[in-house]
């Protein structure tokens, strides 16, 4: 299987490193030198309890295989004393320049090479960027999966589509109940996030304890399941934490992320405003808390509830089955039944809050939804913020819905969404409670990792103990030092349809070229002995120009090609590659001169 | 010349209108019916002065040809008593689904049809979305251009590239000096915006006075040129304004846009922070005020100034020539001279604040700038906010610059940018001063026009006097009524290289298809009499899969095609189109089954 390495970031990074080295400056990754501040925060003033005696020489290796320098495809491998564990195995959605690619998964080469050492796959929570690549990993090796109940449920659903659910071993874990895997002892710690049943992991090893937060925030008044388990985190901090790997998604945002209760209040106000209208509300299918609170408000208001969108229907069914969601008898109706009720007696909860072109909401906006017609009687709430890159798609849907006469609530001022990730003050709390010796910001683009590193430095962690690693780094940690070993294979493998890794940079470059200027094909049948053209040349173009409107251009092209072929015959050029090159160059320069465009030009010669 | 109509918006709109009509509801465009509020603002309480006697029956037509339901390609035609004038002639940058398109301009059919009536082209200011399509219009008809000095300078630069500058008549206008064009008398009114020399127009006609704001904001403490001329606007309000066409860009933002002075203060603080470093600052080349204030700070700080990026170099040269920019002798150096000075003695002002891939800043981030190497000695300020759709490109540049070790200021919290457009409170001030009978929100996506309409309604303008028009609308206004006439031709013409309008929906659909799954070409030479294959079939693919990694797939495809061709011979199918269809279908279903992809399949048969 061909695997294409992540290109842009890595190459930029090596250039950066090279540039830094050539100027004698420290390599960017090992934290920049900043003047020590005179202020010493309490964090560093408190005396540490004596460390548990450890085998001093034992190091632990951390290999991030995804999630660094990007938002998504989180995956980290830990190795100590010859044992390995993996935390998370997510996917990332393709950038706009990855034409036609459906999703991107980590490169599993390193994991496959070490499959005999791996004791298990631990999952922090059930979002796609943490579980989405599991089926592709399990196609390569068998592994037991450790996750909380909801997380396991979501993974099982996913594996069923791949026919892998039956043969995979699941181990359901519970916060505070330790798991032993090889030389590792792992304690799941409850954290708040935008999906229930999320955990951080305290990973104890002969080298020391590492805390990986997964995605988290700190919600003092969550709708269910309690606050992030601050005491356990503090306990580990007291005992001594070798390293903290913490979520950097919101590291650019000052302050605290608001509580989910705020959304409850915001949505309640809007329900009051929508009194005589049908309510349609779009949100993330995995945000079970949010969906539950919408259902509660609907029940209060005497409205029936329907779900639209495949993932909304599936996720809510599973959440009900596992007891994470409670819908009173007689409340749930199907989308087909919607029109049997007056508008003020229904709420439709739907996918599509990110403007996904095939989602239910998008189809409503373009009048192509099978059961739902949007009109002036609708009150539509988009309970989500656009993820960077999705702004234009969301705007398109909002415009469409407004044009149909619906009232649409989409602005942040209405308090219909809060983030699932910690902002700077929460990140500081996490750092302060766990008091790590070393700090590795994870989950984020480089700018976010960098900001998180600065936040840590502002708390007094020496910059030499802060490391911004990258995918494929081999971070070696011990009580004595942090250093980088020989990097391992890591990268981005593109999935397109059933193909995993069969689309690479050459294919993408061709797709980009074709998308910008189209192509012109030249076909000719030639006599294999004389080189004389027996049929053609025919010119066929796609994605170039309207041929009918550009007859003179295409006639000119035809003559250019004919002349080039004739000249080859006259000059006895018999090497077909040279003939093709000459034809291509002649046509290419003609077309550029006439149109300032450079379509792909494909000469095909058939010998008879 | 083929011209493709704007597709998505228009079709969604007609569906919306159809939906609204079928339910008996009023069509969206004519303002929604809202319950009258009991509160009557002072706006409506003051008695109007008696109107000037007018020829009561005379109507004025407003034909917006661009800028409605979109951000960009602003263009409006006014017609009264058989005379026409045009205000603005801008372009819009293509959406991400307009593969390979360079820019989009208005459809000029209506203007060309009426060229004998048109008295002139009036320009509010020199931004691309107001002047960018002028060269394309002038290729079709001669027109005198009316603009302020800087605006004319910018247009002249543009026309020179097209060889049109010499033969075009320019009339330089000045605020408060009226222009007479046919039955119209137009008064330019000074407004604040992010480019100097911007004006609104008060267009007086036998039907009444219309005020078109152009882009504006109200800056009580501008850096130069004075506050938006509120008194003249108020004077028109007192005399009676038939209609206001006002900028809707920021209609979703509450409050006021901050003054440009705030940026001056923000940048001054950053200059202090950057003491020992080279400063690189990216901003819009047209924001002469901003560039001037950076130069002033550089001079204060004893730094030399260099410009990078073609539009930055050109615009600042012109602004100096016309007296809009003042650079003390000895301050300006060329980019080539940068390295002759220590870092703390230079400021580089560059383009690229929107992450444009070929811009100077982008090349610095990817280490491919010819003269500038970015490193830890650089302090980089991005003095702009990403325009929606550009967030990811800007992030990519920020990541790249940070990786090179530079300090990068890119967040809004540093006060390094303010918008050039009016927020809700300023829009209210404009509405309140001009007191129009009718209101048409312009310049914006549908959601922005809608919000602006709601703002106007909240001031007491009856919703029946508010109209959200669309490109191609024929708005007929008189003292008695507002109504829609037969629409005129309007739409989006795509420019790709030298081609204007030769890329349309078919070409774009092909480019999209090619970009997603690539293509497979089948070529065969066949005997024209028997249909027997003499050479081939050969399969050539581009942008599909790595052929070398997928030999079994391609071998299978080869057999499928051979079998399909054989069967055609056996069954005596002699119609080449039928043969092609059968081959295409056989291969297409094989490939989909094996890969879940649908590349474009192009069978080409050559007869000998």
């Amino acid at each position: 299987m061909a695997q294409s390495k992540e290109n842009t970031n890595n190459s930029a990074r090596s250039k950066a490193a090279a540039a830094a080295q050539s100027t004698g400056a420290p390599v960017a990754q090992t934290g920049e030198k900043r003047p020590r501040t005179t202020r010493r925060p309490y964090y560093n003033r408190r005396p540490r309890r004596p460390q548990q005696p450890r085998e001093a020489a034992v190091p632990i290796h951390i290999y991030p295989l995804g999630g660094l320098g990007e938002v998504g495809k989180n995956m980290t491998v830990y190795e100590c004393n010859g044992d390995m564990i993996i935390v998370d195995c997510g996917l990332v959605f393709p950038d706009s320049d990855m034409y036609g690619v459906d999703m991107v998964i980590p490169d599993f080469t390193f994991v496959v090479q070490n499959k005999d050492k791996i004791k298990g796959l631990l999952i922090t929570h059930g979002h796609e960027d943490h579980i989405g690549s599991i089926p592709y990993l399990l196609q390569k090796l068998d592994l037991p999966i450790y996750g909380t109940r909801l997380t396991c449920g979501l993974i099982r659903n996913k594996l069923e589509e791949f026919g892998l659910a039956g043969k995979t071993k699941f181990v359901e874990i519970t916060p505070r109940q330790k798991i032993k895997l090889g030389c590792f002892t792992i304690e799941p710690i409850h954290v708040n996030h935008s999906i229930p049943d999320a955990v951080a992991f305290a990973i104890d090893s002969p080298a020391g304890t590492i805390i990986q937060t997964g995605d988290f925030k700190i919600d003092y008044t969550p709708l269910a399941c309690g606050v992030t388990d601050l005491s356990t985190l503090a306990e580990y901090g007291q005992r001594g934490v070798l390293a903290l790997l913490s979520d950097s998604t919101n590291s650019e945002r000052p302050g605290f992320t608001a509580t989910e209760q705020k959304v409850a209040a915001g949505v309640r106000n809007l329900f009051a405003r929508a009194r005589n209208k049908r309510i349609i509300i779009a949100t993330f299918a995995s945000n079970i808390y949010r969906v539950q609170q919408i259902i509660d408000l609907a029940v209060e208001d005497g409205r029936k509830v329907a779900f639209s969108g495949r993932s909304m229907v599936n996720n809510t069914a599973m959440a009900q089955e596992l007891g994470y969601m409670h819908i009173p008898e007689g409340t749930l109706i199907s989308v087909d039944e919607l029109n049997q009720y007056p508008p003020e007696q229904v709420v439709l909860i739907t996918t599509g809050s990110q403007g996904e072109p095939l989602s239910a909401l998008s189809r409503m906006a373009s009048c192509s939804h099978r059961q739902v017609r949007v009109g002036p009687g609708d009150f539509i709430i988009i309970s989500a913020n656009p993820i960077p890159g999705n702004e234009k798609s969301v705007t398109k849907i909002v415009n469409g819905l407004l044009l149909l006469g619906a009232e649409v609530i989409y602005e942040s001022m209405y308090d219909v969404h809060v983030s699932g990730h910690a902002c700077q003050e929460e990140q500081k709390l996490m750092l302060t409670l766990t008091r790590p010796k070393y700090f590795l910001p994870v989950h984020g683009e480089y700018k976010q990792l960098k900001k998180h590193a600065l936040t840590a430095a502002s708390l007094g962690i020496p910059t030499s103990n802060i490391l911004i690693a990258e995918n494929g780094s081999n971070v070696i940690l011990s009580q004595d030092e942090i250093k980088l070993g020989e990097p391992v294979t890591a990268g981005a493998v593109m999935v397109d349809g059933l193909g995993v890794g069969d689309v690479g940079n050459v294919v993408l470059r061709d797709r980009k070229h074709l998308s910008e200027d189209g192509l012109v094909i030249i076909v000719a049948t030639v006599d294999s002995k004389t080189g004389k053209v027996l049929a053609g040349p025919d010119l066929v173009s796609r994605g170039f120009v309207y041929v009918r409107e550009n007859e003179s251009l295409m006639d000119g092209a035809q003559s250019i090609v004919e002349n080039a072929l004739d000249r080859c015959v006259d000059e006895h050029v018999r090497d077909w590659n040279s003939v093709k090159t000459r034809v291509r160059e002649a046509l290419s320069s003609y077309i550029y001169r006439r149109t300032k465009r450079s379509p792909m030009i494909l000469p095909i010669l058939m010998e008879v």
Side-chain angles (χ1 to χ4, degrees), chain A:
Chain A
M1 197 191 70
Q3 288 177 324
S4 62
K5 299 296 152 323
E6 194 165 42
N7 32 22
T8 45
N9 260 358
N10 275 355
S11 68
R13 281 194 173 192
S14 21
K15 275 185 203 153
Q21 267 159 352
S22 72
T23 60
V27 175
Q29 282 70 21
T30 54
E32 63 172 13
K33 292 217 173 78
R34 284 163 56 91
R36 260 288 164 82
T37 52
T38 47
R39 170 176 58 90
R40 302 282 287 165
Y42 83 97
Y43 167 87
N44 262 8
R45 283 194 302 255
R46 281 201 285 163
R48 293 239 168 172
R49 286 201 196 171
Q51 295 283 332
Q52 302 289 329
R54 305 244 180 219
E55 297 162 44
V58 180
I60 182 166
H61 294 249
I62 306 176
Y63 310 97
L65 298 184
L68 295 187
E70 64 185 344
V71 175
K73 81 174 169 59
N74 298 292
M75 182 173 191
T76 316
V77 177
Y78 292 88
E79 179 177 19
C80 189
N81 274 352
D83 293 329
M84 282 186 175
I85 53 171
I86 306 174
V87 175
D88 290 338
C89 185
L91 60 76
V92 63
F93 292 102
D95 276 350
S96 59
D97 56 355
M98 294 184 179
Y99 296 92
V101 171
D102 298 321
M103 64 182 89
V104 180
I105 64 175
D107 185 326
F108 298 131
T109 307
F110 178 70
V111 176
V112 171
Q113 282 165 354
N114 291 282
K115 63 178 169 188
D116 297 333
K117 295 184 181 172
I118 300 169
K119 305 300 169 196
L121 172 59
L122 298 145
I123 305 293
T124 56
H125 65 284
H127 277 151
E128 287 299 326
D129 53 339
H130 294 257
I131 68 169
S133 295
I134 296 178
Y136 299 96
L137 180 63
L138 293 183
Q139 281 172 341
K140 296 185 172 281
L141 69 166
D142 278 333
L143 268 182
I145 296 176
Y146 296 80
T148 53
R149 195 144 53 101
L150 182 66
T151 306
C152 286
L154 288 162
I155 298 169
R156 205 174 276 120
N157 266 0
K158 185 175 284 295
L159 293 184
E160 262 158 24
E161 291 173 29
F162 284 77
L164 291 164
K167 61 175 197 178
T168 305
K169 185 188 159 198
F170 282 92
V171 182
E172 252 180 52
I173 60 175
T174 314
R176 314 243 24 205
Q177 294 194 358
K178 292 182 182 172
I179 314 144
K180 214 161 156 48
L181 290 174
C183 69
F184 296 100
T185 305
I186 303 112
E187 180 172 353
I189 301 171
H190 167 68
V191 294
N192 299 123
H193 189 41
S194 48
I195 187 171
D197 254 16
V199 292
F201 290 120
I203 300 167
D204 200 45
S205 75
T209 304
I210 291 176
I211 291 184
Q212 175 154 7
T213 64
D215 288 352
F216 81 100
K217 65 173 175 176
I218 296 163
D219 189 342
Y220 295 112
T221 53
L223 293 174
C225 304
V227 188
T228 292
D229 184 354
L230 302 175
S231 345
T232 301
L233 291 165
E235 224 177 283
Y236 275 99
Q238 287 288 331
R239 278 211 295 272
V241 168
L242 182 63
L244 172 70
L245 280 70
S246 183
D247 174 12
S248 309
T249 312
N250 275 351
S251 64
E252 298 169 293
R253 298 199 199 165
F256 268 92
T257 294
T259 168
E260 187 74 28
Q261 297 273 10
K262 199 173 174 188
V263 178
V267 175
R268 184 186 299 272
N269 288 340
L270 292 173
F271 266 61
R273 225 174 99 177
R275 199 159 295 288
N276 299 312
K277 293 189 168 186
R278 177 167 73 175
I279 294 175
I280 299 176
I281 182 160
T283 193
F284 298 104
S286 63
N287 198 331
I288 310 291
Y289 301 128
R290 184 85 46 92
V291 175
Q292 178 70 57
Q293 89 193 26
I294 296 165
I295 293 166
D296 294 347
L297 286 168
V299 171
E300 245 180 75
D301 225 20
R303 290 179 186 251
K304 304 284 178 193
V305 172
F307 295 121
S308 176
R310 198 171 64 100
S311 60
M312 187 62 77
V313 171
N314 291 350
N315 278 8
T316 53
M318 201 203 48
Q320 278 181 274
E321 204 183 298
L322 298 181
Y324 288 87
M325 187 175 275
H326 306 280
I327 310 182
E329 197 71 38
T331 299
L332 198 60
I333 59 171
S334 79
V335 180
D336 290 310
E337 295 170 289
L338 262 187
N339 296 326
Q340 298 169 18
Y341 296 87
E344 67 277 14
Q345 287 178 21
V346 291
V347 174
L348 176 63
I349 306 177
T350 177
T351 56
S353 63
Q354 292 303 311
E356 303 90 332
L358 300 175
S359 67
L361 193 65
S362 176
R363 281 180 283 127
M364 291 175 211
S366 62
C367 294
S368 60
H369 196 284
R370 214 160 43 80
Q371 299 107 332
V372 185
R373 282 272 155 281
V374 166
D378 288 314
F379 189 95
I380 302 176
I381 302 168
I382 299 181
S383 173
N385 286 341
I387 292 168
N390 294 347
E391 294 84 356
K392 283 206 143 183
S393 326
V394 174
T395 290
K396 198 173 161 188
I397 288 187
V398 169
N399 286 332
L401 296 169
L402 284 170
L403 270 162
L404 292 169
E407 196 166 344
V408 185
I409 303 293
Y410 58 93
E411 302 132 301
S412 49
M413 62 177 171
Y414 289 105
D415 290 336
V416 291
H417 183 64
V418 293
S419 168
H421 298 273
C423 289
Q424 286 171 2
E425 294 303 310
E426 290 152 280
Q427 292 173 338
K428 287 182 192 168
L429 179 50
M430 180 61 78
L431 282 155
T432 302
L433 287 176
T434 56
R435 303 165 71 205
K437 179 157 187 181
Y438 301 110
F439 175 59
L440 287 85
V442 295
H443 303 352
E445 306 223 34
Y446 187 77
K447 61 176 188 165
Q448 292 153 343
L449 303 179
K450 183 83 187 175
K451 274 275 185 291
H452 204 173
L454 292 174
T455 299
S458 78
L459 297 178
I461 299 188
T463 51
S464 55
N465 286 10
I466 299 172
L467 187 134
I468 301 179
E470 59 186 78
N471 296 337
S473 287
N474 170 5
V475 182
I476 309 171
L477 285 179
S478 70
Q479 294 295 343
D480 308 325
E481 61 173 350
I482 183 167
K483 61 181 181 184
L484 285 169
E486 197 61 32
V488 303
T489 304
V493 174
M494 288 176 259
V495 178
D496 180 3
L498 296 181
V500 178
D502 66 348
V503 169
N505 289 336
V506 175
V507 172
L508 283 187
R509 204 176 53 217
D510 283 350
R511 287 184 184 173
K512 180 176 196 302
H513 188 172
L514 290 166
S515 77
E516 284 172 355
D517 286 316
L519 90 160
V520 179
I521 305 164
I522 305 154
V523 211
T525 306
V526 292
D527 187 307
S528 59
K529 290 186 214 84
T530 62
K532 265 193 78 169
V533 176
L534 301 176
D538 287 359
L539 269 65
V540 178
S541 83
R542 284 292 183 277
F544 173 48
V545 290
Y546 279 146
V547 172
R548 243 178 260 167
E549 309 278 344
N550 285 276
E551 278 180 12
S552 85
L553 174 71
M554 295 311 281
D555 288 350
Q558 182 79 29
S559 331
I560 293 282
V561 170
E562 283 169 10
N563 289 342
L565 284 169
D566 286 350
R567 235 172 303 128
C568 289
V569 176
D570 294 349
E571 296 171 19
H572 304 286
V573 182
R574 206 57 104 253
D575 165 31
W576 298 129
N577 280 331
S578 309
V579 175
K580 284 186 196 173
T581 304
R582 287 171 70 157
V583 170
R584 185 188 297 118
E585 283 172 359
L587 183 58
S588 172
S589 76
Y590 166 79
I591 288 179
Y592 187 78
R593 213 167 50 241
R594 287 282 303 265
T595 66
K596 290 272 183 289
R597 298 184 208 171
S598 304
M600 183 185 282
I601 293 177
L602 266 186
I604 304 175
L605 301 179
M606 313 227 47
E607 295 176 62
V608 285

